[in-house]
Amino acid sequence: QITLKESGPTLVKPTQTLTLTCTFSGFSLSTSGVGVGWIRQPPGKALEWLALIYWDDDKRYRPSLRTRLAITKDTSKNQVVLTMTNMDPVDTGTYYCAHKRFGEVNWGQGTLVTVSS
Amino acid sequence: ETTLTQSPAFMSATPGDKVNISCKASRDTDDDMNWYQQKPGEAAIFIIREASTLVPGIPPRFSGSGYGTEFTLTINNIQSEDAAYYFCLQHDKFPYTFGQGTKLEIK
């Protein structure tokens, strides 16, 4: 059974850097075709996919946020870390860690991040 | 970026009804379209993969169809527990994108 758990701060100040960690189980990020990514949902708005890292370290970023995002993996720890720089109140929302392997896409319960001074 | 236009945004149904939810893509996404169900405070449940394949464990009253730019989620014989948000996800081209969601109310 695949589980994904997001962790990180619940409150960040504007201009700060957000660091979120996804700790997963039930699959390996060294398996061909597997990817782990991050999705967010601002209050009252649609979900949006932020970044994705594949088993071979191929990385994808949402073009509009490319300069602010970095995604890394630690296969031995079953973790993926997302950093987002220069946080703004519009970045407030629920952040989800997601697993992807070909047509299968699942994500966790999410963690609420509020950006406020 | 591929835009997904999902409709309707809200619908109300009576137990036993059949409902259709539409998801239209701004470009060809082959069959790389999934459907999800989400209830408030809960994780999203994966119900349809690759446009028409029912995810194991999901009741067969759920079905999906479509290819390319037009997709439909159909729920037959609606049950009270089907009250939820439903949304589509295209995973054909990054950034993967989501529909705005449909809120299904059961009378």
Side-chain angles (χ1 to χ4, degrees):
Chain A
Q1 181 185 356
I2 290 174
T3 64
L4 304 133
K5 178 70 173 176
E6 305 87 355
S7 59
T10 57
L11 179 66
V12 296
K13 290 180 169 36
T15 75
Q16 286 186 335
T17 294
L18 171 68
T19 300
L20 293 173
T21 300
C22 173
T23 303
F24 56 84
S25 63
F27 66 94
S28 171
L29 196 38
S30 59
T31 300
S32 177
V34 173
V36 174
W38 289 90
I39 299 165
R40 73 176 178 182
Q41 185 169 34
K45 296 188 176 180
L47 294 152
E48 57 183 16
W49 202 297
L50 303 178
L52 179 64
I53 187 166
Y54 284 103
W55 84 102
D56 60 357
D57 212 40
D58 183 19
K59 300 171 185 177
R60 306 291 171 90
Y61 295 103
R62 187 175 192 82
S64 60
L65 296 171
R66 181 183 300 274
T67 60
R68 299 175 53 205
L69 296 173
I71 189 168
T72 60
K73 63 181 174 69
D74 186 329
T75 304
S76 65
K77 292 183 178 179
N78 281 353
Q79 289 183 332
V80 168
V81 174
L82 179 77
T83 59
M84 181 180 288
T85 61
N86 194 24
M87 292 293 284
D88 183 272
V90 300
D91 297 313
T92 293
T94 300
Y95 287 72
Y96 301 91
C97 172
H99 160 267
K100 183 183 189 298
R101 185 162 192 257
F102 304 119
E104 179 181 345
V105 181
N106 291 288
W107 54 92
Q109 291 263 14
T111 184
L112 177 62
V113 177
T114 302
V115 184
S116 175
S117 55
Chain B
E1 179 173 315
T2 304
T3 300
L4 299 183
T5 302
Q6 192 173 334
S7 61
F10 175 85
M11 64 190 315
S12 184
T14 300
D17 281 353
K18 172 182 173 179
V19 301
N20 291 310
I21 298 172
S22 169
C23 184
K24 295 185 178 181
S26 60
R27 53 172 286 282
D28 190 336
T29 60
D30 292 335
D31 63 353
D32 294 328
M33 187 70 72
N34 294 352
W35 289 93
Y36 298 82
Q37 176 195 72
Q38 187 167 28
K39 299 180 180 180
E42 299 182 10
I45 296 173
F46 184 21
I47 57 176
I48 299 287
R49 64 181 291 170
E50 289 156 319
S52 60
T53 301
L54 191 67
V55 172
I58 301 301
R61 63 179 181 274
F62 290 89
S63 63
S65 62
Y67 188 90
T69 61
E70 297 198 8
F71 300 86
T72 302
L73 172 69
T74 299
I75 312 173
N76 286 290
N77 187 25
I78 285 270
Q79 305 294 303
S80 59
E81 62 263 32
D82 298 334
Y85 279 93
Y86 293 85
F87 50 91
C88 49
L89 160 69
Q90 71 81 17
H91 53 89
D92 180 68
K93 184 174 173 62
F94 203 85
Y96 305 141
T97 48
F98 298 84
Q100 292 279 351
T102 294
K103 183 177 182 181
L104 174 61
E105 173 191 88
I106 309 300
K107 297 173 187 170

